[in-house]
């Protein structure tokens, strides 16, 4: 059974940094383009960042481009989201999944950006 576990969230002040992790087990992780999503209170889940199966190509929404960096280690079935210069608008629960959302959703990891 494929499991997705997101971790690394917490409380951070505006301007701070945080690194999220997405561990995927029970799947051929390296075959999939992967996506980071986030969902803030009262809003729909949105795509934040996308990374190709081999990690060579990455794309981001305008709101985070230049501040967030997605990476992955296919040997360990894990993906990361380095978030710098965090803003209150980044407050959300962050999730990961394949590009086509084929995995069961994990619990997500809560990020709160507040002074």
């Amino acid at each position: 059974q494929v499991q997705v576990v997101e971790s690394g969230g917490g409380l951070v002040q505006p301007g701070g940094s945080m690194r999220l992790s997405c561990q995927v087990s029970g799947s051929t992780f390296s075959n999939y383009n992967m996506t980071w999503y986030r969902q803030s209170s009262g809003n729909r889940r949105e795509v934040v960042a996308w990374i190709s199966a081999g990690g060579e190509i990455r794309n981001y929404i305008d709101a985070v481009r230049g501040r967030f960096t997605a990476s992955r280690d296919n040997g360990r079935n894990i993906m990361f989201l380095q978030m710098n210069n965090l803003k209150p608008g980044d407050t959300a629960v962050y999730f990961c999944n394949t590009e086509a959302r084929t995995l069961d959703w994990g619990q997500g990891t809560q990020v709160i950006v507040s002074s």
Side-chain angles (χ1 to χ4, degrees):
Q1 181 179 353
V2 178
Q3 285 190 313
V4 176
V5 178
E6 301 93 347
S7 62
L11 174 65
V12 64
Q13 292 188 341
S17 297
M18 188 173 285
R19 189 175 83 155
L20 306 183
S21 299
C22 166
Q23 183 76 57
V24 179
S25 61
S27 172
T28 311
F29 177 73
S30 61
N31 286 352
Y32 299 106
N33 299 329
M34 295 293 294
T35 305
W36 280 102
Y37 302 83
R38 68 184 179 186
Q39 186 169 18
S40 56
S41 180
N43 293 313
R44 296 179 64 180
R45 195 166 298 182
E46 64 171 350
V47 171
V48 175
W50 175 95
I51 185 167
S52 62
E56 307 91 348
I57 305 171
R58 309 165 205 186
N59 205 355
Y60 307 92
I61 60 171
D62 288 345
V64 307
R65 187 174 290 113
R67 300 188 296 119
F68 289 14
T69 302
S71 62
R72 63 192 295 166
D73 181 344
N74 285 344
R76 293 195 292 152
N77 280 19
I78 194 167
M79 177 171 72
F80 302 101
L81 186 67
Q82 177 66 42
M83 307 186 295
N84 298 328
N85 190 22
L86 282 159
K87 302 177 180 182
D90 297 318
T91 295
V93 180
Y94 285 71
F95 301 87
C96 60
N97 210 316
T98 64
E99 180 182 26
R101 306 188 183 194
T102 55
L103 303 177
D104 290 339
W105 291 100
Q107 295 293 317
T109 186
Q110 173 82 58
V111 173
I112 300 172
V113 185
S114 176
S115 54

